[in-house]
Amino acid sequence: MIWNDAKIIEWATEGGVTPFDPALVNGASLDLRLSDQCARLNEIYGKNVIRYGDKEAMSMLWRQPETYSRLLLYPGECVLLSTLEVTRIPSNGCAQLLSKSTAGRCLIEHFHSGYGDPGFIGSWTLEIVNFSPVVWDLRPGDRLVQLVISDMTEIAVSGYDVTGRYQNQIAPTAPKGW
């Protein structure tokens, strides 16, 4: 069952979201804001072939995150961003990260690799692509995504705290392979 606003507020105020702003709560979701961290593609891999699963090559796909106060996102460009909020997904819940409809209507898309297994703790890495013909000016605090949390029928046997590679991430995090 998807959480409503009252359950989201209760979870968030009990330490589920840091920092928490009640103005970000919707009827069945929580808006997450952009942090001031961005990772851009590493140009050295421009036309090279990378084997999916090659941990070393995959980790070099992105430059180290940099701080920004204004990010110009060019048509066709893809960047890794992260959320300002750190979330703690409970052991009896799971979460999906979805694009906000306004961002979608501006043709700014988050590729939906945002799934929060039970026990995930950290900021969310966002894979953002500009599909529009215009340059978008993004700033820390902008709301591009929303988190939807659901109850599970039972607590997971192995939560993300046991199985996850991205536990406790705070900045945009490059792929780690498997």
Side-chain angles (χ1 to χ4, degrees), residues 80-131:
L80 291 183
L81 301 175
S82 63
T83 61
L84 173 65
E85 289 79 15
V86 170
T87 61
R88 291 160 186 80
I89 306 304
S91 60
N92 63 343
C94 57
Q96 291 183 316
L97 192 62
L98 305 171
S99 295
K100 299 231 4 116
S101 60
T102 299
R105 292 171 189 174
C106 293
L107 301 177
I108 300 170
E109 182 62 44
H110 166 252
F111 278 99
H112 301 290
S113 58
Y115 189 83
D117 280 314
F120 170 75
I121 298 172
S123 65
W124 294 75
T125 294
L126 312 175
E127 305 81 11
I128 303 294
V129 178
N130 179 0
F131 287 109

Side-chain angles (χ1 to χ4, degrees), residues 72-77 106-108 130-137:
L72 298 180
L73 186 64
Y74 294 91
E77 185 177 18
C106 293
L107 301 177
I108 300 170
N130 179 0
F131 287 109
S132 80
V134 301
V135 178
W136 286 103
D137 179 356

